[in-house]
Amino acid sequence: MQPGGTDDDGVPFGNETVAPEEKTRRVAGVFASVAGRYDLMNDLMSAGAHRAWKAGLIDRLNPQPADLLIDVAGGTGDVARGFLARSRAAAARRGLPHVARAIVADINPDMLAAGRRRGHAEGLSWICADAAALPFPDRTADAVSIAFGIRNVARIEQALAEFRRVLRPGGRFACLEFSRMRSTALQEIYDRYSFGVIPELGRFVTGDRASYQYLVESIRRFPDQETFAAMVRAAGFAEVRVTDLAGGAVALHTGWAV
Ligand SMILES: C[S@@+](CC[C@H](N)C(=O)[O-])C[C@H]1O[C@@H](n2cnc3c(N)ncnc32)[C@H](O)[C@@H]1O
């Protein structure tokens, strides 16, 4: 069994273990079903906190006026848009032209369509792609991000290798994902909230309880902070750091391509 919960036979899909292809198919179904209400659910489930977590990730990427960001599993484009706003501000501060680009690479056409409906931003583009087979040449990106996406990817090690491959030497990597709270008492309260409230909220807002049951189960099965940091290091990233957010309910992993 690999640290990411994968072995030759299967990978986690919620509480089940399934073939990687089956996970990819079922995850596609989850996000196709919730795409139209995805942004609203994020705000409701986290009481808006996901915005601050994403802003923290963008801080660590330190957007520059001429950067290329690939935001993998970028969904409706929160991180890509935030990155471009920050690189535009950096350009204005220094009196430089703003030529930064951000590509949202997501496997799900419905999520990309929901993102496009939010309107265009200068430098923003969208591409339908699997994290484990990115359609970009080696060493092209200045930054690669993935927010609440890696847990959904069937072949996590392969995806991390892809992130490393497409980054130029010195490029920055940042990953936000649900993780483990450091306090057992708080984790118990959080679990009660997750399992008791989120699937019902999902049913009420999106009409799809099962997708939000998958969400809470998949969070439980995703590796903890240290295990995932070891996977990021094993993919060849340097200076891998972990920052706990919300007491560890969410973790930000960062590293450098060398
Ligand atoms: C929870 S959403 C996160 C969206 C966005 N990053 C955010 O934080 O709002 C997870 C996203 O991962 C995408 N996804 C799942 N598996 C993927 C894969 N193998 N490759 C690329 N994207 C994937 C889904 O389509 C979905 O848009």
Side-chain angles (χ1 to χ4, degrees):
M1 177 76 73
Q2 299 296 308
T6 63
D7 58 24
D8 288 345
D9 300 313
V11 294
F13 176 83
N15 284 342
E16 297 174 58
T17 298
V18 299
E21 296 68 28
E22 175 70 3
K23 173 168 178 169
T24 303
R25 197 184 61 74
R26 290 210 208 170
V27 166
V30 165
F31 289 101
S33 161
V34 304
R37 291 287 175 103
Y38 174 80
D39 291 320
L40 172 63
M41 267 304 280
N42 268 356
D43 277 331
L44 292 175
M45 281 186 303
S46 71
H50 74 103
R51 294 167 187 262
W53 299 332
K54 288 170 182 165
L57 171 145
I58 293 165
D59 275 350
R60 296 286 275 276
L61 294 176
N62 188 22
Q64 298 298 308
D67 271 353
L68 169 64
L69 167 75
I70 301 173
D71 182 37
V72 184
T76 57
D78 279 355
V79 168
R81 288 175 196 278
F83 185 95
L84 287 171
R86 289 282 305 278
S87 62
R88 195 172 301 114
R93 253 193 333 271
R94 290 189 233 151
L96 294 171
H98 181 242
V99 291
R101 288 172 299 142
I103 303 172
V104 177
D106 195 287
I107 205 167
N108 195 307
D110 297 300
M111 290 294 281
L112 293 168
R116 280 202 189 92
R117 282 196 295 273
R118 286 170 55 178
H120 182 63
E122 195 62 46
L124 180 61
S125 56
W126 310 84
I127 185 164
C128 195
D130 186 341
L134 293 174
F136 306 108
D138 297 358
R139 302 171 172 221
T140 38
D142 300 291
V144 167
S145 54
I146 181 162
F148 305 110
I150 196 75
R151 181 176 30 90
N152 298 295
V153 171
R155 299 182 189 279
I156 294 178
E157 286 88 352
Q158 216 168 300
L160 290 170
E162 280 293 86
F163 305 161
R164 172 76 190 76
R165 180 184 67 75
V166 300
L167 273 171
R168 66 163 173 78
R172 309 176 292 285
F173 170 65
C175 173
L176 269 178
E177 191 49 87
F178 293 106
S179 200
R180 298 284 185 290
M181 300 196 87
R182 300 287 175 180
S183 148
T184 318
L186 285 180
Q187 182 70 47
E188 273 171 24
I189 295 168
Y190 175 68
D191 282 348
R192 248 179 271 136
Y193 162 74
S194 302
F195 283 87
V197 176
I198 290 180
E200 280 309 309
L201 188 63
R203 187 180 60 78
F204 183 69
V205 175
T206 68
D208 179 358
R209 188 183 193 285
S211 289
Y212 285 90
Q213 182 69 27
Y214 158 72
L215 168 76
V216 293
E217 290 175 3
S218 67
I219 290 170
R220 274 276 191 83
R221 298 224 22 214
F222 190 72
D224 65 19
Q225 286 86 332
E226 282 66 38
T227 308
F228 186 60
M231 293 169 73
V232 176
R233 277 188 205 102
F237 287 95
E239 290 181 46
V240 174
R241 285 207 279 154
V242 185
T243 307
D244 283 344
L245 303 163
V250 171
L252 174 60
H253 286 76
T254 55
W256 295 89
V258 284

